[in-house]
Amino acid sequence: MNRIDRLSAILIQLQSRRVVKAIDIAERFNISLRTVYRDVKALEEAGIPIIGEAGVGYSLMEGYRLPPIMFTREEATALLTAEKLVEKLTDASNGAIYKSAMYKIKAVLRKPEKDLLENLDSYIEVLQTRPQKQASQPGLNILQTILKAINDKRVVDICYFAHYKQESTHRQIEPIGVFYLDNYWHLVAFCHMREDYRDFRMDRIRSLSLTNEPYQHQHISLKEYTEQEYKCRDLLSVVIRVNKKAARHLAEQKYYNGFISETEKDDSIEMSFLTAFPEGFARWFLMFADEAVLVEPVSLKNRIEEILSAISAKLQSPQLT
């Protein structure tokens, strides 16, 4: 990126947030802090009202606004792709809100970019191997309500269906964040009933309402919560060797089982995993065990032998014991 383009991009970044740290600019453009300082000074000399405070960061003077931004063809295409993802991977209410925002974005595009998006619209699709589960109540705007609760720090009343108990419970929660994993949206919140943090699957929320009651606790961030959960898990290191032909068929499955890395070993691929669920890993391994070797650990080898012995016994005697 040449300097003129970088200065324009820095100015856009400054308008996108209330405060932008110098280190964030440096990491985004892969430049030194000294270069950041020179670029910011150049913008100031060009008449841009930038406020800088040591240890805090840079911000634009209140009231200063850039003229409408012209998107590049690549940026416009990325927005169209994002629209397809939001439509498929969030609830209907959130999808409608994003579509409304896209109309406003398309309104400021130049004619070539508008034509580009119209032409590409039918060439981009997001397909799902499993249908996206939605809340049981049509029109229930779960995601937007939760994000509003987080921003306003207000308690939410929910009716939640616990799958393992097959029962619904009413709870008061203090949301701290949401994340998307394996085709489901998850809500992490402090549950008043359990007096602890809980992970709620959004498709199991039967109803919710935002109350006027403020949060009763100071909460950690979502990032801190996920890091703590990761550290608390007793992870087992596993190494397997799979022949190259079979390894191709494990492309997505391996990521659901703690995949870390892989290296080529002659006619096989050696894969390393960290798993919190040895039992589940053992049964997954058995699906392709005739094409693979379990290198370590011994404890997992022993468990697989036990499972195989049980299978052998049942094959010899069809009666379930």
Side-chain angles (χ1 to χ4, degrees):
M1 181 181 288
N2 61 50
R3 195 180 186 214
I4 293 176
D5 288 342
R6 189 174 70 239
L7 289 174
S8 298
I10 290 173
L11 185 52
I12 292 170
Q13 187 175 1
L14 288 171
Q15 193 183 27
S16 69
R17 301 187 63 178
R18 189 173 61 83
V19 177
V20 178
K21 296 180 180 178
I23 188 66
D24 293 336
I25 298 174
E27 289 177 354
R28 179 187 176 192
F29 299 104
N30 195 25
I31 57 177
S32 67
L33 286 174
R34 181 176 295 182
T35 302
V36 173
Y37 301 146
R38 285 202 298 264
D39 285 352
V40 171
K41 185 176 180 181
L43 289 171
E44 290 175 327
E45 290 173 350
I48 307 299
I50 298 175
I51 301 171
E53 187 176 342
V56 178
Y58 299 110
S59 60
L60 290 175
M61 184 177 292
E62 184 64 32
Y64 179 82
R65 290 290 181 272
L66 292 172
I69 302 300
M70 292 296 104
F71 294 96
T72 65
R73 292 169 69 90
E74 293 78 11
E75 290 169 339
T77 305
L79 286 168
L80 176 62
T81 306
E83 181 181 15
K84 302 282 186 177
L85 288 167
V86 170
E87 181 183 3
K88 291 289 186 180
L89 303 182
T90 64
D91 56 48
S93 298
N94 200 67
I97 293 170
Y98 190 88
K99 189 174 288 290
S100 175
M102 277 297 294
Y103 282 128
K104 296 176 182 177
I105 291 172
K106 290 174 182 177
V108 302
L109 294 178
R110 292 168 297 184
K111 188 177 184 301
E113 280 69 45
K114 289 179 181 178
D115 292 341
L116 172 71
L117 294 190
E118 188 172 340
N119 292 335
L120 289 179
D121 187 67
S122 61
Y123 291 92
I124 303 174
E125 289 294 340
V126 177
L127 304 177
Q128 295 173 285
T129 55
R130 293 177 293 177
Q132 180 75 10
K133 291 190 176 182
Q134 301 289 344
S136 57
Q137 235 179 297
L140 195 61
N141 196 352
I142 295 178
L143 188 56
Q144 288 294 326
T145 302
I146 289 169
L147 294 177
K148 181 172 177 57
I150 293 172
N151 184 67
D152 297 347
K153 293 192 168 28
R154 288 158 58 188
V155 172
V156 176
D157 278 324
I158 66 169
C159 176
Y160 187 74
F161 179 74
H163 184 72
Y164 69 100
K165 287 187 177 179
Q166 291 292 297
E167 66 178 17
S168 296
T169 56
H170 287 273
R171 312 190 187 199
Q172 284 200 323
I173 59 171
E174 300 177 18
I176 68 166
V178 298
F179 64 91
Y180 186 83
L181 176 67
D182 297 344
N183 207 48
Y184 297 107
W185 279 96
H186 295 251
L187 160 65
V188 176
F190 184 87
C191 177
H192 288 188
M193 184 170 76
R194 302 300 185 196
E195 284 295 318
D196 200 358
Y197 293 102
R198 288 290 185 269
D199 178 347
F200 300 97
R201 276 250 307 261
M202 287 197 196
D203 60 296
R204 294 177 182 166
I205 296 177
R206 298 298 187 244
S207 65
L208 84 166
S209 60
L210 186 60
T211 73
N212 291 319
E213 182 183 342
Y215 283 8
Q216 300 173 9
H217 306 82
Q218 278 292 119
H219 297 297
I220 59 176
S221 67
L222 178 65
K223 182 179 179 181
E224 290 171 322
Y225 171 83
T226 54
E227 286 176 350
Q228 285 181 12
E229 283 292 294
Y230 182 81
K231 289 177 182 177
C232 288
R233 290 185 176 181
D234 187 13
L235 298 177
L236 180 69
S237 177
V238 180
V239 178
I240 65 173
R241 247 182 230 132
V242 189
N243 75 51
K244 289 183 178 179
K245 184 178 178 181
R248 293 198 301 266
H249 301 293
L250 304 182
E252 289 190 6
Q253 297 177 28
K254 64 187 180 185
Y255 293 105
Y256 299 131
N257 289 277
F259 174 76
I260 297 176
S261 62
E262 64 183 28
T263 54
E264 289 195 23
K265 300 280 186 179
D266 298 325
D267 61 344
S268 65
I269 304 293
E270 186 171 283
M271 301 180 181
S272 297
F273 297 80
L274 278 178
T275 179
F277 309 103
E279 182 71 14
F281 191 97
R283 295 179 183 277
W284 173 65
F285 178 79
L286 284 170
M287 294 171 63
F288 55 90
D290 59 325
E291 302 285 353
V293 174
L294 178 61
V295 179
E296 59 181 46
V298 174
S299 61
L300 196 58
K301 290 182 180 181
N302 294 338
R303 178 55 187 147
I304 289 173
E305 287 178 357
E306 291 173 358
I307 296 172
L308 288 172
S309 296
I311 292 172
S312 178
K314 284 186 168 56
L315 287 174
Q316 294 173 18
S317 174
Q319 299 269 337
L320 286 175
T321 58

